[in-house]
């Protein structure tokens, strides 16, 4: 204690401007104190990151080596195993400063501060511990509902007609989410075909960090945050369990390896990336971790500038490790397991299994390093199995390597597939890639075995060149049973302006091996498109070129009327070659209820025509209401609000604002996307009109997948009532609560009421209270709707109910 007291006495002699992290940097210490201080017993408080472990006696050498002599007082709120671990580490000795090699238990830095006699141990878990993995609590009364996506496609020609219908339903019932998916397709004509199948029908529950699924599902798709193997489009009736981050409260990920900075009094840390300031942080005195929760995801280099008194006093380089999609680096394992019986719910000409074997499968993803994700997945039945391994490695912020090997075995054949890809981002918006794909199939016949093997090597380069020019080059070498040889594609596009109108020039060429050793496919084309108006709503394009030594030319026109029009585009064109002339037309629409597109082509050779189209629509049901919206605007919607808007002002422009988006509402029925899981407050405001208020002004929602909630809002043009209220006997009412159709207020002690009311409102209501009866007050008719404030000398009221019982 005497030595600690002596230390405190000498504090004024210590220079606080110097770095206090290393003992050798403790300048300003008198020589006699230096001899007394080092290699002596010093009483310190030991902290692990921000948590106190114990008080201890330590010995400190002048070169920064520190040794634990004994512990004095343990912190009772910390784990005993943790205290034991770090006391053993300190007994072996550590060095003040950054840990460079042989760092025990993730130790990154050791700091000793003389001014408060505190020893801090910083580890790799410092910041990940700050991002606590707490989970959202879902209420028991989560809204139910149904969201159904419907898509239809059809093609019709002289010889055949093809059609397809796809429906996907997401619902919420009893705090579980349900999913059902249906597909039907067919063809009429010479090759008649028809098939309908139900490939998803299950219920799922989101838990804290995981989910449970029961029912009929396809293991290859929608498996949480893990890539899982299955048997292609084959379906299974059974159960699935997997890890999930859906209910994590804090979705802000932190750097898997923390970045430490040393602050001084009144200093700021600026974080720069590629010459752009992306974050600032006020620093406390001493070493501390940079707050990386708000930094972008990925693995990239940063520059940290320490600003003191407006001047840059220090600059250091660091790297952020925030793996994409890994919200909690502490949970390095991700799992998915499923089991069940193969079942196919198909009618028509679809493939039916002769047996229904029991099958199991699953997948594991492991964050081996912030730059490397390793995966293993597999699926098996009695007669077939599949195993897949993969690695996704971030070599640098601009370089990524992906490798995958798949081994599949059935009763009659063995498949081996290798896929290795390298991606690189090029500054300025370009990219490059290299790949190698290899497939080997061993087929077991009766007393015979055959092997088919194919390899493809390739690369792609995309560059942005000067003068608004882009270049795309694609090259491949194929060595397969169907194609063999070198192939290449090249395309150059240039944007220009002529008299205020946009122009687009494109030159492309290709040359690739023919199918089954036939002659090579090759061609070249030159195209120009010109905007006929500066608004780019009318575009004329022409193209000429050659395919297989046969020349062709085409002319097309396209009209895009704008966002406020139901027609998205309308166009037509003609294409001429020596063998045929094709006349075509196309259109696309985007209505509030359905979106779609269609086309028609007529060939003069053979005098044949072909027509086709697509329709997309979303049906939403919930709260006893049904609404429809076009599929283009709501494709990814998993929960929704049905909002009915009533307005007495056509210029109100009601807006709904929440976390998901800001949506403009029309008078009548609307659909607004809602955020999943988290509580959200949707604000309703009127951006147009004069003195318009929206009621209710907001609504709080918390939704799960498939939830639909119904809300009715009204946009009311208002004015302010200023006047006196009198009862049947002519007495002035005072200190009474009064409400209108849009607000409420209290009459002041002098009998004057100031209250907002809708312009179409005809009455005010006085609340029954303190033994006084409820009353109705009629507003005078013939008021000027354009006046914002209306003054009334007298407003007559009459009793409407019994006196309130005391």
């Amino acid at each position: 204690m005497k030595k600690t007291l002596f230390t405190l006495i000498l504090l004024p002699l210590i220079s606080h401007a110097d770095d206090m992290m290393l003992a050798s940097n403790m300048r300003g210490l008198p020589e006699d104190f230096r001899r007394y201080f080092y290699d002596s017993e010093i009483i310190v408080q030991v902290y692990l990151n921000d948590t106190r472990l114990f008080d201890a006696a330590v010995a400190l050498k002048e070169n920064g080596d520190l040794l634990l002599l004994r512990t004095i007082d343990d912190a009772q709120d910390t784990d005993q195993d943790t205290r034991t671990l770090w006391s053993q580490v300190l007994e072996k000795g550590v060095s003040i400063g950054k840990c460079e090699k042989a760092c025990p238990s993730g130790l990154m830095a050791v700091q000793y501060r003389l001014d408060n006699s505190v020893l801090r141990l910083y580890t790799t878990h410092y910041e990940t511990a700050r991002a606590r993995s707490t989970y959202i609590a879902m209420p028991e009364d989560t809204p139910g509902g149904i969201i159904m996506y419907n898509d239809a496609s059809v093609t019709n020609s002289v010889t055949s007609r093809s059609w397809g219908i796809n429906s996907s339903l997401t619902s919420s019932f009893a705090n579980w989410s349900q999913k059902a998916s249906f597909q039907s397709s067919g063809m009429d004509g010479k090759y008649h075909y028809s098939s309908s199948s139900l490939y998803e029908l299950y219920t799922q529950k989101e838990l804290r960090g995981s989910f449970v699924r029961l029912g009929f599902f396809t293991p290859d798709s929608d498996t949480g945050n893990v890539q899982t193997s299955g048997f292609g489009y084959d379906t299974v009736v059974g159960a699935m369990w997997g890890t999930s981050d859906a209910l994590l409260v804090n979705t802000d990920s932190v750097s898997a390896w923390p970045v430490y900075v040393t602050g001084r009094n009144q200093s700021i840390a600026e974080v720069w990336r590629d010459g752009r300031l992306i974050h600032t942080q006020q620093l406390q005195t001493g070493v501390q971790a940079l707050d990386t929760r708000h930094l972008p995801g990925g693995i990239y280099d940063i520059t940290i500038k320490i600003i003191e008194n407006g001047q840059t006093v220090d600059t250091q380089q660091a790297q952020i490790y925030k793996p994409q999609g890994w919200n909690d680096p502490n949970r390095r394992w991700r799992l998915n397991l499923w089991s069940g019986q193969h079942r196919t719910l198909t009618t028509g000409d679809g493939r039916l299994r002769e047996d229904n074997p029991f099958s199991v499968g699953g997948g594991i993803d492991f964050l081996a390093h912030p730059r490397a994700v390793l995966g293993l997945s597999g699926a098996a039945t009695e007669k077939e199995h599949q195993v897949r391994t993969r690695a996704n490695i971030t070599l640098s912020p601009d370089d990524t390597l992906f490798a995958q090997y798949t081994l599949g075995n059935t009763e009659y054949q063995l498949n081996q597939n290798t896929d290795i890809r390298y991606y690189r981002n090029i500054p300025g918006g370009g990219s490059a890639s290299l790949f190698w794909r290899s497939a080997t199939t061993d087929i077991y016949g009766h007393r015979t075995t055959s092997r088919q093997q194919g390899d493809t090597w390739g690369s792609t380069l995309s560059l942005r060149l000067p003068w608004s020019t882009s270049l795309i080059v694609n090259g491949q070498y194929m060595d397969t049973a169907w194609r063999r040889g070198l192939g290449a594609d090249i395309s150059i596009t240039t944007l220009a302006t002529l008299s205020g109108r946009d122009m687009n020039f494109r030159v492309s060429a290709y040359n690739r091996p023919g199918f089954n050793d036939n002659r090579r496919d090759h061609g070249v084309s030159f195209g120009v498109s010109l905007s006929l108006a500066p608004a780019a709503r009318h575009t004329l394009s022409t193209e000429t070129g050659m395919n297989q030594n046969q020349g062709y030319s085409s002319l097309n026109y396209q009209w895009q009327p704008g966002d406020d029009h139901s027609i998205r585009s309308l166009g037509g064109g003609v294409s001429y070659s020596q063998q045929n002339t094709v006349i075509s037309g196309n259109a696309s629409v985007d209505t509030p209820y359905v979106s779609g597109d269609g086309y028609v082509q007529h060939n003069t050779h053979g005098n044949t025509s072909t027509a086709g189209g697509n329709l997309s629509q979303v049906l939403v049901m919930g709260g006893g209401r049904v609404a429809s919206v076009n599929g283009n605007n709501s494709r990814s919607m998993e929960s929704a609000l049905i909002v009915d808007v009533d307005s007495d002002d056509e210029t109100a422009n009601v807006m709904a604002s929440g976390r998901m988006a800001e949506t403009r509402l029309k008078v009548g029925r609307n659909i607004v996307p809602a955020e999943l899981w988290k509580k959200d407050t949707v604000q309703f405001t009127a951006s147009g009109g004069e003195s318009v208020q929206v009621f209710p002004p907001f609504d709080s929602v918390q939704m799960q997948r498939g939830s639909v909630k119904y809300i009715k809002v009204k946009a009311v043009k208002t004015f302010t009532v200023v006047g006196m209220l009198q009862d049947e006997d002519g007495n002035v009412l005072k200190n009474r609560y009064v409400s209108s159709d849009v607000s409420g207020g209290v009459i002041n002690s002098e009998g004057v009421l100031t209250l907002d009311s809708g312009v179409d409102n005809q009455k005010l209501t006085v609340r029954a209270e303190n033994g006084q009866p409820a009353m109705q007050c009629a507003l005078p008719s013939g008021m000027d709707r354009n006046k914002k404030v209306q003054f009334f000398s007298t407003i007559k009221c009459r009793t409407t109910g019994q006196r309130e019982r005391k």
Side-chain angles (χ1 to χ4, degrees):
M1 291 300 294
K2 292 180 179 179
K3 295 175 183 177
T4 304
L5 182 61
F6 185 52
T7 301
L8 297 175
I9 293 172
L10 289 175
L11 277 179
L13 301 176
I14 300 172
S15 173
H16 290 281
D18 291 327
D19 188 353
M20 303 296 293
M21 188 173 178
L22 295 174
S24 57
N25 290 333
M26 294 180 182
R27 302 181 180 90
L29 295 180
E31 187 59 31
D32 55 344
F33 177 78
R34 184 183 297 273
R35 292 194 302 268
Y36 183 89
F37 181 78
Y38 292 115
D39 297 313
S40 300
E41 182 177 301
I42 305 172
I43 308 301
V44 298
Q45 286 186 324
V46 181
Y47 280 78
L48 176 62
N49 299 318
D50 290 332
T51 304
R52 177 174 168 267
L53 291 178
F54 44 71
D55 293 346
V58 299
L60 181 63
K61 294 183 178 296
E62 195 162 353
N63 65 357
D65 291 342
L66 184 141
L67 190 68
L68 175 67
L69 301 179
R70 67 180 186 278
T71 60
I72 299 174
D73 181 33
D74 292 336
Q76 298 303 318
D77 55 346
T78 58
D79 181 66
Q80 175 62 43
D81 293 339
T82 303
R83 296 197 301 265
T84 301
L85 170 65
W86 287 102
S87 63
Q88 291 174 352
V89 169
L90 293 175
E91 285 174 356
K92 295 177 181 178
V94 296
S95 295
I96 303 296
K98 185 178 180 181
C99 185
E100 301 289 349
K101 58 182 179 179
C103 304
S105 301
L107 182 66
M108 293 192 67
V110 179
Q111 179 203 32
Y112 173 69
R113 292 198 55 83
L114 182 60
D115 54 356
N116 56 8
S117 196
V118 169
L119 178 70
R120 290 187 182 272
L121 310 173
Y122 291 96
T123 71
T124 55
H125 306 299
Y126 178 84
E127 195 171 19
T128 54
R130 296 166 63 184
R132 298 176 59 193
S133 298
T134 54
Y135 293 91
I136 297 169
M138 295 300 296
E140 293 297 326
D141 57 346
T142 304
I146 296 175
I147 301 176
M148 187 174 183
Y149 300 90
N150 300 296
D151 296 289
S153 302
V154 64
T155 303
N156 186 60
S157 66
V158 175
T159 59
S160 67
R161 181 175 70 247
S162 302
W163 50 269
I165 298 174
N166 292 276
S167 294
S168 177
L169 181 148
T170 302
S171 64
S172 173
F173 177 73
N175 281 340
W176 286 63
S177 296
Q178 294 77 40
K179 182 74 175 289
S181 297
F182 169 81
Q183 184 181 48
S184 181
S185 59
M187 179 185 298
D188 295 330
K190 182 178 180 180
Y191 302 101
H192 179 79
Y193 165 81
S194 177
S195 175
S196 299
S197 63
L198 180 69
Y199 58 92
E200 284 181 320
L201 181 61
Y202 62 80
T203 183
Q204 179 169 315
K205 177 72 171 179
E206 290 290 341
L207 307 172
R208 298 166 68 89
S210 63
F211 71 89
V212 176
R213 178 180 301 173
L214 304 172
F216 189 77
F217 55 86
T218 305
D220 275 357
S221 63
D222 191 18
T223 55
N225 52 21
V226 181
Q227 296 184 33
T228 303
S229 290
F231 297 102
Y233 295 105
D234 286 359
T235 49
V236 169
V237 56
M240 175 183 287
W241 174 90
T243 57
S244 171
D245 293 335
L247 296 185
L248 270 180
V249 171
N250 185 13
T251 57
D252 292 331
S253 61
V254 299
S255 179
W257 289 353
V259 177
Y260 290 101
V261 293
T262 301
R264 297 177 171 87
N265 292 332
Q266 304 298 321
S267 60
I268 299 293
E270 292 183 348
V271 181
W272 294 76
R273 178 187 181 187
D274 298 330
R276 295 180 295 111
L277 179 66
I278 60 174
H279 184 62
T280 65
Q281 177 180 333
Q282 190 173 17
L283 299 179
Q284 305 297 323
T285 305
V287 67
Q288 61 212 265
L290 190 71
D291 188 355
T292 61
R293 287 172 293 183
H294 304 294
L295 297 184
I299 301 173
Y300 52 89
D301 295 318
I302 60 171
T303 299
I304 304 171
K305 297 181 181 180
I306 307 300
I307 310 297
E308 183 178 336
N309 196 23
Q311 301 294 323
T312 302
V313 298
D314 188 23
T315 300
Q316 57 181 284
Q317 305 296 320
Q319 196 167 53
I320 298 299
Y321 292 88
K322 298 177 69 174
Q324 296 283 8
W326 227 277
N327 290 330
D328 188 356
N330 277 333
R331 302 177 62 196
R332 299 201 169 206
W333 293 93
R334 289 178 170 178
L335 304 174
N336 185 283
L337 303 172
W338 60 268
S339 66
Q341 189 180 40
H342 268 283
R343 287 284 182 179
T344 304
L345 301 183
T346 303
T347 61
D349 301 323
R351 183 175 66 91
L352 295 174
R353 295 189 65 97
E354 297 179 358
D355 57 350
N356 296 306
F358 182 79
S359 59
V360 296
I364 301 175
D365 283 352
F366 175 57
L367 186 66
H369 182 278
R371 289 182 178 271
V373 178
L374 306 180
L376 174 65
S377 60
T381 67
E382 183 181 356
K383 296 181 179 181
E384 58 183 316
H385 71 266
Q386 181 190 96
V387 177
R388 178 181 296 142
T389 62
R390 61 189 174 275
N392 200 327
I393 303 173
T394 304
L395 303 174
S396 77
D398 294 319
D399 299 89
T400 303
L401 179 65
F402 173 79
Q404 180 172 278
Y405 174 77
T406 304
L407 176 66
N409 190 14
T410 67
E411 189 176 0
Y412 303 106
Q413 67 181 33
L414 174 68
N415 299 309
Q416 300 180 65
N417 295 285
T418 303
D419 190 352
I420 300 177
R421 302 169 184 266
Y422 165 75
Y423 299 95
R424 176 170 178 80
N425 294 323
I426 299 176
S431 64
S433 67
L434 299 172
F435 68 87
W436 170 52
R437 293 193 298 268
S438 177
T440 302
T441 303
D442 294 321
I443 301 175
Y444 309 116
H446 181 65
R447 297 182 180 179
T448 62
T449 300
S450 62
R451 168 169 286 194
Q452 294 179 352
Q453 185 170 358
D455 293 271
T456 303
W457 295 266
S459 65
T460 300
L461 176 65
S462 174
L463 291 176
R464 292 189 181 274
L465 304 177
W467 305 296
S468 300
T469 302
S470 62
L471 169 68
I472 299 176
V473 180
N474 179 30
Q476 291 186 8
Y477 179 79
M478 290 164 278
D479 185 6
T480 68
W482 304 277
R483 294 181 189 270
R484 186 184 305 273
L486 182 66
D489 299 78
I490 184 171
S491 175
I492 300 176
T493 303
T494 299
L495 302 178
T497 303
L498 178 64
S499 300
R501 291 164 173 80
D502 294 332
M503 296 187 67
N504 185 311
F505 298 88
R506 182 174 63 86
V507 179
S508 63
Y510 68 92
N511 191 309
R512 60 178 66 95
F515 185 74
N516 281 341
D517 294 327
N518 289 332
R519 64 176 182 173
R520 295 179 66 87
D521 296 332
H522 57 85
V524 62
S525 64
F526 174 77
V528 178
S529 65
L530 172 66
S531 174
L532 300 181
R537 293 187 176 181
H538 304 272
T539 303
L540 187 68
S541 61
T542 181
E543 183 175 278
T544 185
M546 297 185 68
N547 284 323
Q548 301 294 100
N549 299 322
Q550 299 293 327
Y552 74 93
S553 59
S554 64
L555 179 68
N556 291 278
Y557 165 77
Q558 205 71 24
W559 173 52
Q560 294 179 324
D563 295 335
D564 56 348
H565 206 285
S566 295
I567 299 177
R568 283 206 321 271
S569 65
L570 191 64
V574 59
S575 176
Y576 171 79
S577 66
Q578 187 175 356
Q579 294 82 14
N580 190 19
T581 299
V582 181
I583 303 172
S584 63
N586 63 82
S588 61
V589 296
D590 198 353
T591 71
Y593 306 105
V594 67
S595 59
D597 60 81
Y599 61 88
V600 61
Q601 291 182 350
H602 178 73
N603 297 270
T604 58
H605 180 72
N607 195 28
T608 61
S609 298
T610 302
N614 305 278
L615 289 177
S616 181
Q617 178 259 355
V618 180
L619 192 67
V620 179
M621 292 172 277
R625 305 298 194 281
V626 179
S628 177
V629 67
N630 75 69
N632 284 337
N633 298 335
S634 307
R635 177 60 56 187
S636 60
M637 184 172 61
E638 294 187 291
S639 64
L641 306 175
I642 298 178
V643 183
D644 279 346
V645 177
D646 184 15
S647 177
D648 58 12
D649 190 330
E650 296 180 355
T651 62
N653 292 334
V654 179
M655 306 291 293
S657 304
R659 279 201 191 99
M660 286 285 290
E662 187 174 67
T663 306
R664 182 177 177 179
L665 306 180
K666 66 181 187 299
V667 175
R669 184 149 294 178
N670 302 264
I671 295 178
V672 178
E675 186 175 32
L676 288 178
W677 316 119
K678 292 183 177 180
K679 288 183 179 179
D680 192 10
T681 300
V682 182
Q683 306 279 348
F684 298 104
T685 57
S687 59
E690 238 184 297
S691 302
V692 176
Q693 298 184 38
V694 182
F695 301 93
F698 64 89
D699 199 302
S700 296
V701 297
Q702 187 172 10
M703 316 286 272
Q704 72 169 6
R705 194 173 286 114
S707 291
V708 178
K709 185 176 181 179
Y710 174 73
I711 303 173
K712 185 174 182 179
V713 299
K714 185 175 183 180
V716 181
K717 184 178 178 64
T718 64
F719 71 97
T720 302
V721 177
V722 180
M724 289 189 171
L725 275 60
Q726 294 181 353
D727 60 16
E728 295 97 327
D729 301 327
N731 299 317
V732 177
L733 303 181
K734 300 179 181 180
N735 303 318
R736 299 287 301 273
Y737 181 84
V738 183
S739 61
S740 67
D741 60 335
V742 298
S743 65
V746 178
I747 307 171
N748 66 19
S749 58
E750 297 179 353
V752 179
L753 172 68
T754 303
L755 185 69
D756 287 338
S757 175
V759 293
D760 293 331
N761 184 41
Q762 299 295 319
K763 65 180 180 179
L764 303 178
T765 301
V766 181
R767 186 170 63 188
E769 55 188 353
N770 299 325
Q772 296 175 317
M775 307 182 78
Q776 293 284 347
C777 312
L779 292 174
S781 59
M783 296 182 295
D784 188 349
R785 292 175 57 94
N786 296 319
K787 278 190 176 183
K788 296 182 181 179
V789 181
Q790 304 272 356
F791 294 93
F792 304 102
S793 58
T794 302
I795 301 176
K796 292 293 185 179
C797 304
R798 61 183 180 84
T799 302
T800 58
Q802 300 294 324
R803 292 179 178 269
E804 184 188 48
R805 295 182 179 179
K806 294 185 180 180

